[in-house]
Amino acid sequence: MQCAICERYAQKMSCVECAQNGLWQLRMKYLFESSGKDSAAEKVQEYIESPAGLLCARATPKTAIQNRIQDVKVTTARLKLLLQTDKDRLVAARVEAAVRKTRLDELREFARRQEPIAESTQRDIRRQNHKWKALYNRTAEARSFLCREAAGLYGLRIKRKKSGRVDYLIGGVPIPNLLNDLNAQTFAITNTSIESLSRLLVLVSHYCGLKLPNEIILPGNGNPLTSIRGPLYNRHFATRPLHVESAFSTLSRDNPTTYGKYIEGVSMLAMDIAWLCFSQGLEVNNVDDACNIGQNMWRLLIAKDSTAMNTTTFGRTSHATANGNLATALGQSIMGGFTLGYMAIVDRIRCTLQAETIVADWDLVPEAEIGAEPPDKSTISLDLNRNDITGGRQDSTDTGSNIGQWTRIRSLDQRINK
């Protein structure tokens, strides 16, 4: 049956009677629980007041105390063991300290006895260093003197002409500039100057204690002519001649292999001279300067402001002394700025000689000479209008439409070969 005010089976209650009826069961359960708690408390109190409860209450503290005592005994034993270990370690440390103190006293006594000996040794070292530096300076001066005297004995000098041209001579023979004079000089003069310059270079490197990048092989048993040996194209060592038997124009046409090897040989020689100059304080680090081998040797040894005369670095770097040794890291740093490449010299000389050979085959012949007589079979003429040559420009001295012809003249032996 439902309430007239609120629904009996719904959670929401709106009247007092329904609320009291809903709480009646909870109140009864609480009363039963409270009465059970009181009865349990009475039983516990009776047990405590009984003899059995008193005995149990007395036994519980005694067991706890015994357990605590046992823990204290274990802790005490452990601490005693640690204390004994520390004592043993302390005794060992004291023994070691005593031994070390004894050794320290002995070392102090030894150092006290060695102080006079060390001072005497240091004085000897300073004295020897001073003597060694003096000897090193005298050695450098002797190297400079020997190199300059050797250059003087070989007749290395300069000759200035009225035209302004400067020639460098050795033994009275002009030293060729590898970029300008190889085709201009006769091969006999070139061979003589290169031979003398190679001997002088070997002598200077010997006096300075230097090992050249490319080894110069002087004439001897089984080797009648001067040659040079060095790493070719950074792969293997090869020997190249420093002597030719004919003019360069003929050699390049008749024997290109020997011609190419000779160019490589003189390039190796120029590389050696440039390397020698750079190692002794003379800056030679480009192809144009390296190819002027006579000027480089003259500036290094003979000139009034030469490196051997005025520079303190000459003779102080070599492969024969400990100080300034070029094989060490310091020596490598000294030569680190030398960037001149062997192949750059070879290519420059080869291109220059080829250009000179092409230009030498052509000449400008006047028109009157061409019209005087017909060309023979040994002449091949190419008629070129001056406008074609000059690109349409007229010269101020031009009095006609054509003032000449470019003619390439071949020698008789060229015609025969053809």
Side-chain angles (χ1 to χ4, degrees), residues 1-243:
M1 182 176 180
Q2 296 182 356
C3 178
I5 299 173
C6 60
E7 295 180 358
R8 177 68 58 88
Y9 302 102
Q11 294 182 356
K12 183 178 179 179
M13 296 182 183
S14 300
C15 62
V16 176
E17 184 178 359
C18 289
Q20 290 178 351
N21 293 334
L23 294 175
W24 180 254
Q25 297 294 332
L26 295 176
R27 292 179 64 189
M28 291 296 294
K29 185 176 180 180
Y30 174 75
L31 291 175
F32 288 140
E33 292 292 338
S34 298
S35 61
K37 180 179 178 181
D38 294 339
S39 61
E42 291 177 358
K43 291 180 179 179
V44 169
Q45 187 64 29
E46 291 178 359
Y47 179 78
I48 292 173
E49 293 177 355
S50 66
L54 294 175
L55 181 61
C56 181
R58 294 174 182 175
T60 300
K62 182 179 180 180
T63 303
I65 292 172
Q66 289 178 352
N67 294 335
R68 180 63 178 170
I69 292 173
Q70 186 65 28
D71 295 339
V72 170
K73 288 181 178 180
V74 172
T75 305
T76 303
R78 182 172 57 82
L79 293 177
K80 286 182 178 180
L81 181 61
L82 293 176
L83 180 61
Q84 186 62 34
T85 303
D86 292 339
K87 287 181 178 179
D88 296 340
R89 187 168 62 253
L90 180 60
V91 171
R94 287 176 179 174
V95 173
E96 183 180 0
V99 174
R100 295 177 65 180
K101 184 179 180 180
T102 304
R103 292 180 58 188
L104 180 61
D105 294 338
E106 293 176 355
L107 292 174
R108 286 177 177 174
E109 182 65 20
F110 178 77
R112 186 182 62 79
R113 294 195 303 266
Q114 292 296 321
E115 284 181 0
I117 301 175
E119 293 177 358
S120 176
T121 304
Q122 290 176 357
R123 286 195 299 269
D124 293 340
I125 292 174
R126 288 193 295 268
R127 184 166 52 252
Q128 292 297 330
N129 284 337
H130 180 73
K131 291 181 178 179
W132 176 75
K133 290 180 180 178
L135 178 61
Y136 179 68
N137 293 330
R138 288 198 301 270
T139 301
E141 293 174 358
R143 287 172 175 172
S144 175
F145 174 77
L146 290 174
C147 292
R148 287 187 287 108
E149 288 298 316
L153 291 175
Y154 269 88
L156 181 62
R157 63 187 182 88
I158 187 173
K159 181 179 180 181
R160 292 183 172 88
K161 297 182 179 180
K162 293 182 179 180
S163 61
R165 177 182 172 84
V166 177
D167 289 335
Y168 298 92
L169 310 179
I170 183 168
V173 180
I175 302 173
N177 186 325
L178 301 181
L179 293 179
N180 303 324
D181 300 334
L182 287 180
N183 281 325
Q185 291 182 353
T186 62
F187 68 93
I189 293 177
T190 302
N191 289 340
T192 303
S193 60
I194 293 295
E195 171 79 19
S196 301
L197 193 64
S198 299
R199 290 180 179 273
L200 177 60
L201 180 60
V202 170
L203 196 58
V204 170
S205 63
H206 171 69
Y207 287 152
C208 292
L210 292 169
K211 182 180 179 182
L212 298 174
N214 305 297
E215 179 187 4
I216 298 176
I217 305 173
L218 297 178
N221 294 332
N223 184 38
L225 300 175
T226 305
S227 58
I228 190 168
R229 183 173 182 269
L232 188 63
Y233 308 114
N234 295 326
R235 290 197 298 268
H236 61 278
F237 281 83
T239 303
R240 292 294 180 259
L242 293 176
H243 188 277

Side-chain angles (χ1 to χ4, degrees), residues 128-380:
Q128 292 297 330
N129 284 337
H130 180 73
K131 291 181 178 179
W132 176 75
K133 290 180 180 178
L135 178 61
Y136 179 68
N137 293 330
R138 288 198 301 270
T139 301
E141 293 174 358
R143 287 172 175 172
S144 175
F145 174 77
L146 290 174
C147 292
R148 287 187 287 108
E149 288 298 316
L153 291 175
Y154 269 88
L156 181 62
R157 63 187 182 88
I158 187 173
K159 181 179 180 181
R160 292 183 172 88
K161 297 182 179 180
K162 293 182 179 180
S163 61
R165 177 182 172 84
V166 177
D167 289 335
Y168 298 92
L169 310 179
I170 183 168
V173 180
I175 302 173
N177 186 325
L178 301 181
L179 293 179
N180 303 324
D181 300 334
L182 287 180
N183 281 325
Q185 291 182 353
T186 62
F187 68 93
I189 293 177
T190 302
N191 289 340
T192 303
S193 60
I194 293 295
E195 171 79 19
S196 301
L197 193 64
S198 299
R199 290 180 179 273
L200 177 60
L201 180 60
V202 170
L203 196 58
V204 170
S205 63
H206 171 69
Y207 287 152
C208 292
L210 292 169
K211 182 180 179 182
L212 298 174
N214 305 297
E215 179 187 4
I216 298 176
I217 305 173
L218 297 178
N221 294 332
N223 184 38
L225 300 175
T226 305
S227 58
I228 190 168
R229 183 173 182 269
L232 188 63
Y233 308 114
N234 295 326
R235 290 197 298 268
H236 61 278
F237 281 83
T239 303
R240 292 294 180 259
L242 293 176
H243 188 277
V244 291
E245 299 294 340
S246 60
F248 290 100
S249 57
T250 305
L251 185 65
S252 63
R253 182 181 64 253
D254 297 342
N255 196 343
T257 302
T258 304
Y259 175 76
K261 289 183 178 180
Y262 181 79
I263 292 178
E264 292 176 355
V266 294
S267 300
M268 289 181 180
L269 180 65
M271 181 77 173
D272 280 353
I273 295 175
W275 185 90
L276 173 67
C277 294
F278 194 90
S279 66
Q280 301 306 310
L282 178 60
E283 186 75 18
V284 179
N285 205 10
N286 60 72
V287 176
D288 293 336
D289 292 341
C291 290
N292 199 347
I293 53 180
Q295 181 187 34
N296 294 335
M297 293 297 289
W298 182 79
R299 290 177 58 197
L300 182 68
L301 302 173
I302 299 298
K304 292 182 180 180
D305 57 345
S306 64
T307 305
M309 180 69 71
N310 299 324
T311 307
T312 58
T313 58
F314 188 91
R316 286 171 170 77
T317 54
S318 68
H319 293 101
T321 55
N323 191 14
N325 194 303
L326 294 176
T328 61
L330 179 60
Q332 294 295 330
S333 65
I334 294 174
M335 297 302 297
F338 185 73
T339 58
L340 183 62
Y342 156 74
M343 287 305 302
I345 302 176
V346 174
D347 294 339
R348 183 66 178 275
I349 295 176
R350 182 180 288 115
C351 292
T352 302
L353 292 178
Q354 289 177 354
E356 289 180 355
T357 302
I358 293 173
V359 172
D361 286 342
W362 294 87
D363 192 10
L364 183 62
V365 180
E367 184 179 4
E369 296 182 5
I370 297 176
E373 56 182 3
D376 58 8
K377 297 181 180 180
S378 63
T379 303
I380 299 177

